[in-house]
Amino acid sequence: MSQSLIVKYTLSALFTPLLFGCSSTPDEPRRAGDYSMLDSTQSFIDLNDTRRNGAIVDKGTFYPKDTYAFAYRYCSTGEDNAQRDIAEYHTLAKRVCDANNGSLIHQKTATWCVANPNTVNEMPLFSARISSTDLWADLCLDGPFVTLRLNENAYTLDSEWREAAQILGYQPYTAHRQLVPNTTVDTPLHNTPQPAAAPKPWSNESQYIYSNIGTTVCYYDQSKTNALGYTYRGQVFSVKEGLVKVLTREKIKGDIRTAPVWEQINWHDKAFITAPASAWFVCES
């Protein structure tokens, strides 16, 4: 892979509303690393038509996801090509992290590139994940879906970014933090999705859901019996002590934030699901 894929931040990259939303930009220069994993990912996508023919997915409308998160998916042209793309993206993430004088640490939500790893001064720079699935094979004629996900600070103060990163899955250093071991030398990114060890801090979206009875929300459940899992959709019925009770009327195959189509599953006419506010997301039709 060409070293030219490692892209340094430029002014044009810092003000891309499609990817970063319209959050305010401080006057001082960017501080969380000099080289952009997002820009490098875009260069990676643009290398061939197969990757370019994908789409941005899982678009967040609430801070911090709308400011820091990027997810992209495309149909590969075969299992071998998908695995080759995954290996190349692993290598790219390692090179960008090295260029920022960072180290990769493997957490349950993703692999994070951090400065000053495993110290009280640890600072997240970006997270990256890549995975493939052939479970949507009826829509990809030649190969599985490949999905890229990353979170990165574009242009905000370190303190603001550190708080946002924790909402997006980063687990800050403590003496008791448990990291996921990297068992494969040639694949530095940790691909296996695992549940978070503790409830995530509330985002603006969680605050909105908790404060607005009647809002249409969704809950994604990674089922043990179905690799795709299911999304439950309904309206907020009541809230109490951080929990949100939702009157759910729809059960949908897969995660609707990334699923190519909505496939309805037979469900109850009236059923309630109660879960922490941070487990729900807004999904107005």
Side-chain angles (χ1 to χ4, degrees):
M1 179 179 292
S2 170
Q3 188 75 14
S4 63
L5 282 181
I6 302 178
V7 181
K8 197 164 187 175
Y9 271 93
T10 62
L11 287 177
S12 61
L14 296 176
F15 299 102
T16 308
L18 175 64
L19 301 180
F20 290 115
C22 300
S23 60
S24 60
T25 302
D27 294 332
E28 63 182 73
R30 182 182 185 278
R31 298 167 61 190
D34 293 326
Y35 294 89
S36 167
M37 187 60 195
L38 174 60
D39 288 352
S40 299
T41 295
Q42 290 178 301
S43 297
F44 172 83
I45 291 170
D46 288 339
L47 280 179
N48 58 54
D49 289 338
T50 298
R51 298 173 189 169
R52 280 195 296 268
N53 286 331
I56 297 173
V57 294
D58 194 7
K59 298 177 183 178
T61 56
F62 289 85
Y63 179 88
K65 194 169 188 178
D66 63 346
T67 304
Y68 302 113
F70 174 72
Y72 184 87
R73 189 184 59 202
Y74 62 92
C75 286
S76 62
T77 54
E79 180 61 34
D80 290 344
N81 288 335
Q83 293 304 314
R84 189 177 303 113
D85 285 358
I86 288 173
E88 289 182 4
Y89 193 68
H90 289 163
T91 301
L92 177 61
K94 179 66 163 60
R95 287 181 175 174
V96 174
C97 190
D98 288 345
N100 283 310
N101 297 314
S103 299
L104 294 175
I105 61 172
H106 309 290
Q107 302 196 346
K108 291 182 178 180
T109 54
T111 291
W112 285 81
C113 175
V114 302
N116 306 309
N118 299 320
T119 70
V120 294
N121 295 319
E122 182 177 284
M123 171 59 68
L125 304 181
F126 65 83
S127 72
R129 276 183 57 186
I130 183 171
S131 60
S132 67
T133 176
D134 57 1
L135 297 175
W136 300 115
D138 54 331
L139 296 175
C140 279
L141 298 180
D142 301 315
F145 276 129
V146 175
T147 303
L148 309 171
R149 295 179 181 274
L150 66 98
N151 298 294
E152 185 174 42
N153 180 15
Y155 200 83
T156 56
L157 298 175
D158 284 350
S159 57
E160 180 182 342
W161 159 241
R162 188 191 295 271
E163 294 175 0
Q166 291 180 54
I167 295 174
L168 296 169
Y170 168 69
Q171 298 173 6
Y173 171 77
T174 70
H176 305 290
R177 182 177 66 180
Q178 298 292 317
L179 298 179
V180 178
N182 178 26
T183 57
T184 306
V185 175
D186 295 330
T187 55
L189 303 191
H190 181 70
N191 292 329
T192 304
Q194 299 186 29
K200 292 187 294 185
W202 280 20
S203 64
N204 286 11
E205 185 170 24
S206 299
Q207 295 283 2
Y208 176 85
I209 291 170
Y210 199 76
S211 303
N212 289 271
I213 304 296
T215 297
T216 299
V217 296
C218 287
Y219 172 80
Y220 174 64
D221 179 31
Q222 182 70 54
S223 170
K224 294 181 180 179
T225 59
N226 184 298
L228 288 177
Y230 300 99
T231 299
Y232 298 88
R233 188 169 184 262
Q235 287 70 45
V236 176
F237 182 80
S238 63
V239 297
K240 183 179 180 181
E241 297 178 349
L243 298 176
V244 175
K245 184 177 183 179
V246 174
L247 173 59
T248 58
R249 301 182 184 274
E250 295 177 89
K251 181 179 181 181
I252 304 161
K253 184 178 180 181
D255 185 344
I256 67 169
R257 293 167 294 186
T258 56
V261 294
W262 283 20
E263 181 179 336
Q264 297 282 348
I265 307 296
N266 288 335
W267 184 238
H268 308 284
D269 292 335
K270 183 177 181 180
F272 291 97
I273 295 178
T274 301
S278 58
W280 299 93
F281 59 93
V282 175
C283 55
E284 300 282 0
S285 59

